[in-house]
Amino acid sequence: MTLQDYIKVFKHRWIVMVICTAVAAGVTWLVTPASADTTRKIGSYTATATILVSSSDPESGGTNLGRIALYLTTGEVPKRAAAVVKYDGDPALLASGLTVTPDGVSQALTVAAAASDGDRAAAVANAFADEIVKFTAEAQRPGVENAKLSVLQRATPIPNAASDSGFVVPPGRGPRTAMAALLGLLVGMGAALVLDRLDSRLRTRSDIHSALGMPIIAEVPRLKRSQRNRNTLGVLEDPLSLYADGYRAARTALVHTAGQVMPGDYSPRRSAVEPRRSANSGRLILITSAHASEGKTTSVANLAASFAETGQQVLVLDADLRSPDIHNVFDVPQGAGISDYLTDPGDASLDAVVRPTSVSGVRIITAGTSLAHPASLASRMGHLLEEAREMADVVLIDTAPLLEASDVFDILPMVDTLLLVVRHGRLTEVSGNRVAELVGRFQVPVSGVIIVGAKAKLGDTYGYGYGYGDARKTKKKVKRGRKLAEQRRPEPQQAADSPPENLDDEVTRESRRTRRASSA
């Protein structure tokens, strides 16, 4: 992944990062006391006893301090010291915790003991110091026959502060909260990357194109939340909006570009009635999606309005016999329609079920009322489509989703081109590959893909800048225009009182004309 890919992931998953940061900071703020204990923590205590060594024979030289240190840590002295401090373990283990330091210059030894309890450390050090003095005084020991020992200073516990080496957590509530927020942010970033890996939904134009293998002919921006649940036609209600220009871009691509056949290893299916499109017949455009609720029906309605504003006659067929809904967008009540015509055609013509809509130039054939067996009805639509082709310049067919119903596959071989509607962030890579495979089997020309709900960007690829020519101006521009107009407009009284700027020139020219006439 590149740096730009990471930025896109973090922008999309920012809510996860915010939640992790807020939770970490909030918990730390609650569990940390307002007034922190700033005293240094004591890790252990050290007690040191000092033993002075002298000799009873001045001519014998210095006393062997090393031999005294050996007697201090091995043999009888550790056993006696262990009995004094009531140590139940091995006396040698108790003696191994001592630090005996001989000083030959001053003829002294220091006995240091360390423990988490100060009194215990002092008791051990003093016990060893007392017992070595008694041990050497009781008899002449080899190597220290003339040595005379005395305790110069008894051991007292001295606390050892905890080591400050390494990372130290700040004691205050504010610094700890800030540190926890930073750690929460890092955890949130990691969670965002993991979720992005687990989420296979396609969110960019390049990802959708790679999964489907179809050209992206238009991107329709996301509507405002207040407009999403209304059956509105953005092409008519807001013709200069980015939303309307998106569908116009799709209309332009449908008119001026030829559909491409998706690669496949299967022979195309043939319907009972082979399509025979004459020069004067209309074009059958099937509009579908991979799943439900991707904006298919809304796209059909806006494309119909977009074709109608160019002066073409448009016929909309509601071939989604499982969930018909497009009649609500055009304010047409459900009545006799496709299912009724296919169930009992009789001698009635298709014109009998064609009804006008609220959009000039657009007519509709609703799904009808006999919707008990939608799959069998879809397989009998060949003659209906050929008859509908002769009734309009453009025939838009709204069908069921490709991956949720089999009805559409009976209609695919009969149409001239296919247009797929994909909602931004809903199609997965697996579903996209499956759609490309199914369309490739039927060898139907594909005009491309409309991405619905994309993020609006001014001056995008499709169209000469979405919203270009919109008469709506910002308040700042309106105020600036009024101010310039007032500066250029002269005051009424000043204009009436002030003489013409070139009055002297007019007088001069008149006098010259008079002299020329008199001389002539």
Side-chain angles (χ1 to χ4, degrees):
M1 293 178 65
T2 62
L3 178 60
Q4 187 176 6
D5 295 331
Y6 283 109
I7 294 175
K8 288 181 180 179
V9 171
F10 295 149
K11 288 178 64 177
H12 177 65
R13 304 286 182 182
W14 65 270
I15 188 66
V16 176
M17 300 165 59
V18 170
I19 291 176
C20 292
T21 304
V23 169
V27 171
T28 305
W29 178 270
L30 293 176
V31 301
T32 304
S35 57
D37 184 10
T38 58
T39 59
R40 300 185 66 180
K41 304 301 180 182
I42 297 175
S44 63
Y45 292 85
T46 300
T48 304
T50 303
I51 302 173
L52 185 62
V53 180
S54 60
S55 177
S56 59
D57 186 4
E59 297 179 357
S60 63
T63 306
N64 190 349
L65 298 181
R67 183 64 60 87
I68 299 176
L70 179 63
Y71 288 142
L72 188 64
T73 56
T74 58
E76 185 67 21
V77 174
K79 295 179 180 180
R80 296 181 179 183
V84 171
V85 297
K86 298 180 181 179
Y87 180 73
D88 298 332
D90 188 358
L93 184 62
L94 180 63
S96 63
L98 294 178
T99 302
V100 180
T101 305
D103 187 354
V105 177
S106 60
Q107 289 293 296
L109 289 94
T110 57
V111 181
S116 58
D117 185 3
D119 295 336
R120 176 69 177 179
V124 171
N126 290 327
F128 274 89
D130 293 338
E131 294 305 321
I132 190 62
V133 171
K134 294 178 182 179
F135 180 75
T136 56
E138 290 174 353
Q140 291 184 350
R141 307 298 178 181
V144 290
E145 296 85 355
N146 299 322
K148 184 179 181 180
L149 278 62
S150 62
V151 177
L152 179 63
Q153 181 178 347
R154 300 190 66 79
T156 56
I158 299 175
N160 299 324
S163 176
D164 292 339
S165 60
F167 180 75
V168 179
V169 179
R173 173 184 276 182
R176 289 194 177 188
T177 302
M179 185 178 300
L182 178 59
L183 294 177
L185 178 61
L186 296 177
V187 172
M189 294 171 67
L193 294 175
V194 172
L195 291 176
D196 185 72
R197 288 293 183 182
L198 297 177
D199 188 3
S200 62
R201 291 180 293 178
L202 307 177
R203 302 185 183 279
T204 63
R205 182 167 55 189
S206 59
D207 292 341
I208 295 174
H209 173 70
S210 299
L212 294 171
M214 304 177 185
I216 311 299
I217 63 173
E219 291 184 77
V220 179
R222 185 183 307 167
L223 282 174
K224 296 180 180 178
R225 188 176 298 274
S226 59
Q227 299 174 335
R228 294 178 189 174
N229 297 326
R230 298 182 341 195
N231 292 324
T232 59
L233 292 174
V235 173
L236 298 179
E237 295 188 1
D238 200 357
L240 295 179
S241 64
L242 309 176
Y243 185 84
D245 278 348
Y247 285 110
R248 291 194 186 96
R251 178 203 67 197
T252 302
L254 288 170
V255 172
H256 298 290
T257 60
Q260 66 177 16
V261 177
M262 299 294 296
D265 298 332
Y266 298 86
S267 300
R269 286 183 52 182
R270 298 296 178 184
S271 61
V273 177
E274 292 290 335
R276 296 182 179 87
R277 183 185 176 193
S278 63
N280 297 325
S281 62
R283 189 182 185 195
L284 296 178
I285 302 175
L286 187 144
I287 302 173
T288 186
S289 60
H291 300 285
S293 302
E294 292 204 46
K296 168 179 57 67
T297 299
T298 304
S299 297
V300 172
N302 281 278
L303 281 173
S306 178
F307 275 107
E309 69 182 5
T310 63
Q312 300 185 67
Q313 294 297 315
V314 183
L315 179 62
V316 177
L317 301 182
D318 191 357
D320 188 357
L321 304 179
R322 297 176 184 266
S323 180
D325 188 49
I326 196 170
H327 62 278
N328 294 323
V329 182
F330 289 110
D331 295 330
V332 176
Q334 183 70 278
I338 293 176
S339 60
D340 303 281
Y341 179 81
L342 296 176
T343 302
D344 186 17
D347 297 332
S349 65
L350 190 61
D351 288 328
V353 293
V354 177
R355 281 182 279 177
T357 66
S358 56
V359 181
S360 177
V362 178
R363 296 182 297 169
I364 186 174
I365 302 179
T366 61
T369 58
S370 302
L371 304 175
H373 304 285
S376 62
L377 293 175
S379 61
R380 291 183 281 169
M381 291 185 63
H383 293 285
L384 183 149
L385 294 178
E386 290 306 308
E387 190 174 349
R389 186 193 294 274
E390 306 298 329
M391 301 173 63
D393 300 320
V394 179
V395 180
L396 301 180
I397 308 172
D398 183 16
T399 64
L402 275 169
L403 301 182
E404 297 188 8
S406 61
D407 309 355
V408 64
F409 300 115
D410 291 313
I411 309 174
L412 271 177
M414 310 175 194
V415 300
D416 299 320
T417 188
L418 169 69
L419 180 63
L420 187 68
V421 178
V422 174
R423 181 166 293 278
H424 178 268
R426 181 160 304 179
L427 183 69
T428 63
E429 184 176 1
V430 175
S431 298
N433 295 335
R434 179 60 177 164
V435 168
E437 177 188 354
L438 292 174
V439 174
R441 289 184 180 183
F442 289 86
Q443 299 291 291
V444 179
V446 178
S447 294
V449 178
I450 298 179
I451 301 178
V452 177
K455 294 182 179 180
K457 296 180 180 179
L458 292 175
D460 208 347
T461 303
Y462 305 104
Y464 181 54
Y466 285 165
Y468 178 77
D470 196 338
R472 293 169 295 183
K473 298 181 179 179
T474 61
K475 295 181 179 180
K476 190 174 182 180
K477 289 184 177 180
V478 172
K479 291 181 178 179
R480 187 186 304 169
R482 289 177 179 175
K483 186 176 181 180
L484 292 175
E486 291 176 358
Q487 291 177 354
R488 293 173 181 173
R489 187 185 305 118
E491 295 293 334
Q493 186 64 29
Q494 180 181 356
D497 296 342
S498 59
E501 295 180 359
N502 298 328
L503 182 59
D504 295 338
D505 295 338
E506 291 292 335
V507 173
T508 303
R509 283 194 291 269
E510 185 65 26
S511 62
R512 288 176 181 174
R513 293 193 195 101
T514 304
R515 286 197 300 270
R516 289 172 184 171
S518 61
S519 61

